Amino acid sequence: MYIKRTKSKGHEYLYLVEEVYAQGRKQIKTVKALGRVDQMSPEQLQSLLDQPLDQRKLQMSKMAQAAEFVTHMQQSQEPLEQSLFGLHLGYGHLIAWQVWSRYLNLPYQLDYLQKNYTDITAYKASNIVFSLVASKMMQPASYLSTFDNRLTLIANRMGNSELRYVYDALGFLSRFKDRIMESVYRNLSKSMELGKPLLLFFDCTNFYFEVTYDSREEFIMDFRNDRTLQLMNEGKGQEEITSFLNSPDFSAELQAAIHRAEEQGLFVRMRGPSKEGRYAQPLMGMSLVIDEHGFPLDFEVFPSNESEYGYLPKAVQSIKDKYHITQAYYVADRGLNSSANLDFIRQNKMGFIVAQKVSQQTKAQRSEMLSDEGWKTLDLSKDLWAASLVQDVDGCSYRYKICDYQKQSFVHYTDADGQTKRRKIVVDCKIIYTFSKKRKRRDELVIETLTAKAQEAIDAGRLMSNPNGSGWRSLVLTEAEQAGAKKDKDMYRACSLNKAKIDKLKEIAGYAALVFLPPAGLENTEESMAITAQKGYKHLVSIEANFRAMKSDLQLRPVFLKRTDRTIGHCMVCMLSLTMLKTIQYNLRQIGEDVSLGKIQQILQQAHVLAIPLDSSSKPIFIHGLNFRTDTAKEHQAHNKTGQANPIPANQNAALLDQLIKLAHLSPLHFVESAGSIRHKLKIDPRIPLLSEAQIVNLAKLASHL
């Protein structure tokens, strides 16, 4: 409270007022009207002005002392132990909340799904889900640790929830995965005015579990245990039970149960070829579709022992049903380049851009590529972005040529009579050949390296267990190959270089190819098609960057969950976290700041305030800082080559944090803030307690230390 002087109709009045916050806005509330100044004696006027000011000075003095204490501890060489003087509380999730509600509009969507399609009443699913997503954005951890860490946040929406609600929320996300993903991208596209995407990037990966058994093995063990328990309840003896479990009847019963489980899609966590070399652990596959800005549109999980080829058509159909996108290119790596996939995309009147191996061509195609006729260069002045992508070592655009192309293959199918037949698939499309001097230098260096390794094997007379394999092994000839006959094992020792293969690789060095087809109804010139195709494929790395971010920064793997629905919910948490980080990154780029997802994650994690109790009865004040822990002299020496302890550098992340706060339409915090100003600047919902009951109790215990 303080004295406010106002003028009205030529007279000056004094009022005792205080600042209050209502509905997120600061208001000045009049406590008492003290009268007109000209009607007061000098003594009365002085007493009115002095007393509130003295009280205010006392309060400010306490705040200054606390701030001075924190500053002193920061500059010392001792680690700052928050338990001695205050609570270390993060507020990065409050920045994330603005993205969650302003751009994704998820509070309304999740509340609607909970109210209309579930019987959940014990907790608010939207608050639990947001807390999981925000925690994954800032400091990825297990769901048990996330639950335990809720007391380290200010204005935490998880409140007094129970741990079981966290795992229930994962099942909730799994149940409504498609509706939530559709809602998120639609709201994001609308709020950020992204428009319809022209390029849709598709790729697959897999991630591993830190569990012992795959889904099938676990199902068999559970089925066997359940059957044993059933027989025991029927009064069967151990010998009878063992005899039955080893009988053909039980084997048939088990196989029937396995068949039903397979039809229901219960075996998702399986062993298969790992892209990270994790062959011992069970795996799960994931397909992902993103737009040209890097925002996810859809994803699907599947058993890792299934082929990835069948999931591109599923993604095409899903995107068509959800978003009604009709004119867009699907961009994929050559690992998904099959005639069946491309034919399905064409039948849906969409376009595609996929890589094509130039080392596996017919003689006619190879001759067409190596011919000097038909080559062109892009006009780099027409598209600066394309210029940055396709500029060659001499500052010019690399050459390209577009030719007609046919993808052909045979697929097997089962007819109505149950007989296996095959049919030929022919896809008429275009192929764009490109040649780059920069790529030629790189390819020739690779050939030299592989040739040197092959020569080492020849000089050592190495026994070739896999002749004609990939890499340097493909450049080696053995005695058996030279003789043209298979004899004893010793005939498979490396004896000479495969010069024909080396000459072929040198001939095509610098060349690359893309197979593409524009969407139906999209008119393009040859040059615009060339730019789109090259842009699209060169930006395919963005989906690989998303996979890396989810696996490493957001800890998609390893997974410790066993239930499939909770695993899908875990994938949803990672996907929503990725979307929110990409939204922040996109907005930063609009103002000229190119910041990595990991850096954004670090800033959100380090945004903290220290809640310090002034005394046992008053409300706490909040000291703002990015990181209150001070490294010890020993730790400084470990990072310093000279071995001398350096003074603590100024935090370089403060300016970026202020930008994140402003982009979220919040107000940056001063070094010292009150509870009311924290609520106002960070737009904390009045229904959400600033501090939990446990945090208030801890503050009361800490009051004596000051």
Side-chain angles (χ1 to χ4, degrees):
M1 290 187 292
Y2 59 93
I3 300 296
K4 181 180 180 182
R5 306 176 73 151
T6 61
K7 289 185 178 181
S8 177
K9 298 181 180 180
H11 298 287
E12 190 173 14
Y13 296 85
L14 293 182
Y15 296 91
L16 181 62
V17 299
E18 67 174 346
E19 292 182 355
V20 296
Y21 289 87
Q23 297 180 348
R25 295 184 178 182
K26 182 174 73 172
Q27 298 179 2
I28 306 300
K29 178 183 177 182
T30 300
V31 178
K32 184 179 180 181
L34 302 177
R36 278 170 48 177
V37 173
D38 58 348
Q39 295 177 352
M40 299 178 186
S41 65
E43 293 79 9
Q44 289 177 318
L45 179 61
Q46 191 63 38
S47 65
L48 287 172
L49 293 176
D50 283 348
Q51 186 175 2
L53 285 176
D54 287 343
Q55 293 176 354
R56 193 177 181 193
K57 286 179 181 178
L58 178 62
Q59 182 78 352
M60 291 301 295
S61 175
K62 290 182 178 181
M63 295 173 71
Q65 289 175 12
E68 184 179 355
F69 174 68
V70 173
T71 303
H72 170 72
M73 291 296 291
Q74 281 184 299
Q75 294 174 349
S76 70
Q77 292 297 318
E78 295 299 325
L80 197 70
E81 297 294 343
Q82 63 169 24
S83 60
L84 294 179
F85 58 90
L87 294 182
H88 199 186
L89 303 174
Y91 70 88
H93 63 292
L94 299 177
I95 300 174
W97 173 260
Q98 296 300 315
V99 179
W100 181 264
S101 56
R102 185 181 294 270
Y103 292 100
L104 276 58
N105 195 26
L106 273 176
Y108 169 80
Q109 177 69 12
L110 297 182
D111 288 346
Y112 173 81
L113 293 173
Q114 178 179 349
K115 180 180 178 181
N116 293 277
Y117 297 99
T118 74
D119 55 359
I120 299 174
T121 57
Y123 62 93
K124 192 172 183 179
S126 60
N127 283 342
I128 302 292
V129 170
F130 168 73
S131 298
L132 298 180
V133 172
S135 177
K136 187 69 71 175
M137 287 177 64
M138 297 183 298
Q139 194 170 5
S142 68
Y143 292 103
L144 176 59
S145 297
T146 299
F147 178 76
D148 291 338
N149 291 338
R150 69 193 187 282
L151 296 180
T152 64
L153 301 176
I154 192 171
N156 180 26
R157 290 181 172 269
M158 195 172 289
N160 297 321
S161 300
E162 300 178 17
L163 178 60
R164 59 192 177 96
Y165 298 157
V166 170
Y167 294 103
D168 288 347
L170 297 178
F172 176 88
L173 284 173
S174 173
R175 178 179 175 184
F176 301 108
K177 176 185 80 72
D178 291 333
R179 296 188 62 163
I180 293 173
M181 288 296 297
E182 178 184 359
S183 174
V184 165
Y185 188 77
R186 286 189 183 278
N187 290 328
L188 193 65
S189 181
K190 182 179 179 181
S191 60
M192 300 179 71
E193 299 180 352
L194 299 179
K196 290 282 188 181
L198 176 64
L199 300 173
L200 299 173
F201 299 91
F202 177 86
D203 202 358
C204 295
T205 189
N206 51 40
F207 51 92
Y208 64 92
F209 289 71
E210 283 292 352
V211 295
T212 307
Y213 304 105
D214 61 35
S215 297
R216 181 188 175 93
E217 292 167 345
E218 193 170 61
F219 178 85
I220 293 173
M221 287 188 296
D222 290 343
F223 185 86
R224 188 181 184 90
N225 291 337
D226 292 343
R227 198 71 176 91
T228 300
L229 183 60
Q230 180 183 355
L231 293 173
M232 290 175 62
N233 292 334
E234 293 175 359
K236 303 293 185 182
Q238 187 60 47
E239 292 185 3
E240 290 181 283
I241 294 174
T242 303
S243 176
F244 174 75
L245 294 179
N246 294 327
S247 67
D249 291 340
F250 175 75
S251 178
E253 187 178 321
L254 176 61
Q255 291 303 318
I258 291 174
H259 180 69
R260 289 193 298 270
E262 288 176 340
E263 289 182 336
Q264 296 171 11
L266 299 182
F267 298 158
V268 182
R269 186 181 72 246
M270 300 296 289
R271 287 181 171 81
S274 171
K275 297 191 177 184
E276 299 176 294
R278 297 279 183 168
Y279 300 107
Q281 285 100 341
L283 307 169
M284 183 178 288
M286 172 187 284
S287 64
L288 176 64
V289 180
I290 66 172
D291 68 3
E292 57 256 50
H293 304 292
F295 294 116
L297 283 84
D298 197 18
F299 78 95
E300 196 70 45
V301 297
F302 56 90
S304 60
N305 58 353
E306 289 186 5
S307 172
E308 298 175 350
Y309 277 95
Y311 284 88
L312 179 55
K314 291 182 180 180
V316 172
Q317 190 62 50
S318 178
I319 295 298
K320 181 180 178 181
D321 294 341
K322 289 178 182 177
Y323 306 107
H324 307 291
I325 297 173
T326 55
Q327 292 187 335
Y329 291 88
Y330 276 90
V331 187
D333 209 344
R334 62 190 180 194
L336 295 161
N337 182 354
S338 71
S339 299
N341 282 342
L342 302 187
D343 185 52
F344 185 86
I345 295 173
R346 182 189 61 176
Q347 289 178 6
N348 282 272
K349 300 182 179 180
M350 305 286 280
F352 56 78
I353 302 170
V354 293
Q356 179 69 32
K357 284 186 177 181
V358 296
S359 59
Q360 297 178 355
Q361 296 176 302
T362 64
K363 290 183 178 181
Q365 292 167 349
R366 185 184 183 86
S367 175
E368 183 180 54
M369 180 183 75
L370 298 177
S371 170
D372 293 333
E373 298 179 357
W375 289 96
K376 299 179 181 179
T377 57
L378 294 173
D379 185 354
L380 301 184
S381 63
K382 291 185 178 180
D383 194 322
L384 296 179
W385 189 42
S388 66
L389 292 176
V390 303
Q391 197 172 53
D392 211 341
V393 290
D394 55 2
C396 300
S397 168
Y398 57 63
R399 299 183 301 153
Y400 77 93
K401 106 166 56 166
I402 297 178
C403 306
D404 293 330
Y405 194 76
Q406 253 191 8
K407 288 282 293 184
Q408 299 183 19
S409 67
F410 290 91
V411 295
H412 293 84
Y413 68 97
T414 303
D415 62 11
D417 298 329
Q419 295 183 346
T420 300
K421 295 184 178 180
R422 69 173 191 167
R423 65 183 179 90
K424 186 177 182 180
I425 296 178
V426 178
V427 181
D428 293 317
C429 52
K430 299 284 186 180
I431 188 169
I432 176 171
Y433 297 109
T434 60
F435 178 81
S436 165
K437 296 176 183 177
K438 186 189 300 184
R439 189 189 301 123
K440 183 176 182 179
R441 290 181 183 179
R442 183 196 65 198
D443 291 347
E444 288 176 341
L445 181 61
V446 171
I447 295 170
E448 290 177 10
T449 303
L450 296 179
T451 303
K453 289 183 178 181
Q455 188 62 53
E456 289 178 6
I458 294 168
D459 294 341
R462 185 177 301 176
L463 186 64
M464 301 297 294
S465 59
N466 184 21
N468 296 323
S470 60
W472 64 267
R473 289 177 175 81
S474 66
L475 307 184
V476 174
L477 289 176
T478 64
E479 295 178 6
E481 290 171 305
Q482 284 188 334
K486 295 182 180 181
K487 296 187 178 180
D488 59 10
K489 182 178 180 181
D490 199 57
M491 293 289 288
Y492 285 95
R493 293 190 182 277
C495 65
S496 65
L497 291 173
N498 189 338
K499 293 185 178 180
K501 181 68 177 290
I502 295 173
D503 292 341
K504 181 180 177 181
L505 291 177
K506 287 182 178 179
E507 188 179 34
I508 61 175
Y511 290 91
L514 296 172
V515 174
F516 72 99
L517 180 71
L522 188 65
E523 297 182 1
N524 281 310
T525 64
E526 185 175 275
E527 187 174 47
S528 66
M529 286 192 295
I531 291 176
T532 301
Q534 293 172 75
K535 270 185 181 180
Y537 189 72
K538 284 185 175 292
H539 270 67
L540 184 60
V541 295
S542 61
I543 196 168
E544 296 171 358
N546 281 0
F547 279 140
R548 286 195 299 271
M550 283 197 296
K551 288 182 176 181
S552 300
D553 297 335
L554 302 177
Q555 291 187 5
L556 172 66
R557 52 86 170 114
V559 184
F560 297 89
L561 304 164
K562 290 186 177 181
R563 284 175 44 176
T564 301
D565 61 334
R566 290 179 177 178
T567 302
I568 296 174
H570 166 69
C571 295
M572 275 292 294
V573 170
C574 294
M575 201 66 64
L576 293 173
S577 301
L578 175 67
T579 302
M580 292 177 67
L581 287 172
K582 297 290 289 187
T583 303
I584 295 173
Q585 184 186 57
Y586 181 87
N587 286 329
L588 283 171
R589 285 175 177 169
Q590 300 308 301
I591 60 174
E593 294 284 350
D594 192 5
V595 184
S596 68
L597 297 182
K599 186 67 172 179
I600 297 171
Q601 190 177 34
Q602 180 188 18
I603 298 298
L604 293 174
Q605 178 185 348
Q606 292 181 348
H608 279 79
V609 292
L610 273 173
I612 301 179
L614 296 180
D615 53 51
S616 59
S617 59
S618 65
K619 295 180 179 179
I621 63 165
F622 297 88
I623 309 297
H624 177 231
L626 279 175
N627 194 346
F628 286 104
R629 187 187 182 281
T630 302
D631 290 339
T632 62
K634 183 177 180 180
E635 289 171 325
H636 276 293
Q637 291 173 3
H639 295 287
N640 184 12
K641 295 180 180 179
T642 64
Q644 301 295 322
N646 292 333
I648 301 165
N651 203 316
Q652 300 176 352
N653 293 334
L656 182 56
L657 174 62
D658 284 348
Q659 285 186 327
L660 293 184
I661 291 175
K662 291 176 181 177
L663 284 174
H665 303 278
L666 305 176
S667 301
L669 302 181
H670 293 135
F671 185 58
V672 182
E673 296 283 2
S674 66
S677 61
I678 287 277
R679 276 194 173 276
H680 174 63
K681 290 185 175 181
L682 299 182
K683 296 183 179 179
I684 298 174
D685 191 330
R687 296 168 294 183
I688 304 296
L690 192 65
L691 298 174
S692 67
E693 295 178 2
Q695 290 169 338
I696 294 173
V697 170
N698 290 337
L699 276 178
K701 293 178 181 178
L702 296 171
S704 60
H705 292 290
L706 283 178

